[in-house]
C-alpha cells in the first residue's frame, strides 16, 4: 500500500504569507484524504501537485478555527468544479460534535449548495477531554427541522471498554480516532494497515533447492 503525505499548512493560530494554517493531505490509491482544513487550504492545494477533486475524506481534529475555517470554502470550490451529473465522488467528513451544525449553517447562510454527496460523521467527546470550563455540550444543535435536511452522517460514541472510535475499515486498513486532551475536545487519527500474506516465488525456491 502506497501512502504519500503532503503538508499543506503547519501554522498555528493564524496563517502567514509563508506558512498556511493546519492542513495535511494523504494520498492513497488515487484518492486524497485531508486532515484538518485551516483557512487557505484550497489555495495551498492549488500550489501543490495534488488535485482537490480527488479528496474523498476529511478529518478534523478539533473545533479551533485554524483547523477548520477553510472547510466551507473548500467544499464550495469542489462543488463549483464538479458537474451537475453527479460525477464527483462522495466526501465523508469526520470531526467533533458540532461540526455538522457549523457546516450546514455556513452553507445555508451563504446560499451555497453542494452538487455532490457529503456526509458529516461526528465524534461525541467525553467531558474529561478538556478543562471543565471549556467543555460545551453540542448534542442539541442538530435537533431542528432545518438541520434534518442537512448532510447525513453518523454520531459516533466511545463504547464502554473501548479507547478509540472506529471510523473506516476496508480490505487494506482501519482508521480510528482517539481522544486528545487540549483546551477543547480534540481527536487524533490512526491509520493501521492490515496484515498482508507474503508472496513466494515457488519456482525460485525450487531452483534454490
Amino acid at each position: 500500500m502506497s501512502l504519500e503525505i503532503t503538508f499543506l499548512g503547519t501554522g498555528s493560530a493564524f496563517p502567514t504569507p509563508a506558512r498556511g494554517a493546519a492542513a495535511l493531505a494523504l494520498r492513497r490509491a488515487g484518492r486524497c484524504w485531508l486532515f484538518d482544513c485551516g483557512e487557505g487550504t484550497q489555495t495551498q492545494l492549488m500550489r501543490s501537485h495534488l488535485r482537490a477533486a480527488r479528496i474523498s475524506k476529511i478529518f478534523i481534529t478539533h473545533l479551533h478555527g485554524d483547523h477548520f475555517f477553510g472547510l466551507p470554502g473548500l467544499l464550495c470550490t469542489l462543488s463549483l468544479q464538479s458537474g451537475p451529473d453527479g460525477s464527483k465522488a462522495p466526501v465523508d467528513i469526520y470531526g467533533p460534535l458540532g461540526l455538522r451544525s457549523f457546516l450546514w449553517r455556513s452553507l445555508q447562510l451563504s446560499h451555497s449548495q453542494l452538487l455532490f454527496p457529503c456526509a458529516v460523521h461526528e465524534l461525541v467527546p467525553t467531558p474529561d477531554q478538556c478543562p471543565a470550563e471549556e467543555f460545551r455540550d453540542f448534542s442539541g444543535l442538530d435537533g431542528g427541522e432545518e438541520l434534518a435536511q442537512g448532510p447525513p452522517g453518523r454520531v459516533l460514541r466511545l463504547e464502554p471498554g473501548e479507547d478509540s472510535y472506529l471510523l473506516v475499515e476496508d480490505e487494506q486498513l482501519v482508521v480510528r480516532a482517539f481522544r486528545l486532551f487540549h483546551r477543547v475536545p480534540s481527536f487524533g487519527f490512526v491509520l493501521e494497515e492490515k496484515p498482508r500474506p507474503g508472496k513466494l516465488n515457488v519456482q525460485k525456491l525450487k531452483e534454490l533447492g
Side-chain angles (χ1 to χ4, degrees), residues 27-120:
R27 190 163 64 168
R28 170 197 175 229
R31 291 292 178 189
C32 184
W33 293 1
L34 188 64
F35 293 82
D36 280 338
C37 188
E39 181 183 353
T41 294
Q42 59 177 315
T43 307
Q44 293 293 87
L45 279 165
M46 294 173 190
R47 293 191 179 116
S48 75
H49 64 285
L50 302 170
R51 291 182 57 192
R54 293 191 178 274
I55 294 175
S56 59
K57 297 187 187 303
I58 301 174
F59 302 85
I60 302 297
T61 57
H62 62 292
L63 299 185
H64 273 156
D66 55 332
H67 289 258
F68 79 115
F69 276 170
L71 185 55
L74 173 62
L75 293 176
C76 288
T77 296
L78 292 178
S79 184
L80 289 172
Q81 293 175 347
S82 64
D85 57 355
S87 57
K88 170 75 178 77
V91 174
D92 285 292
I93 303 171
Y94 301 85
L97 193 67
L99 181 59
R100 181 174 183 267
S101 180
F102 164 81
L103 182 57
W104 178 239
R105 291 301 186 196
S106 298
L107 295 174
Q108 271 207 320
L109 289 170
S110 60
H111 296 264
S112 302
Q113 184 178 6
L114 301 184
L115 300 179
F116 58 88
C118 176
V120 180

Side-chain angles (χ1 to χ4, degrees), residues 169-207:
E169 183 172 12
D170 61 24
E171 68 282 354
Q172 289 187 313
L173 59 72
V174 175
V175 182
R176 295 182 180 273
F178 60 93
R179 294 176 301 161
L180 295 177
F181 301 88
H182 188 33
R183 287 199 302 112
V184 298
S186 306
F187 297 91
F189 302 100
V190 170
L191 283 71
E192 182 179 0
E193 186 176 7
K194 290 183 176 180
R196 291 182 295 169
K199 296 181 179 179
L200 294 177
N201 186 330
V202 177
Q203 184 58 39
K204 190 66 175 180
L205 289 173
K206 290 180 177 178
E207 293 172 2

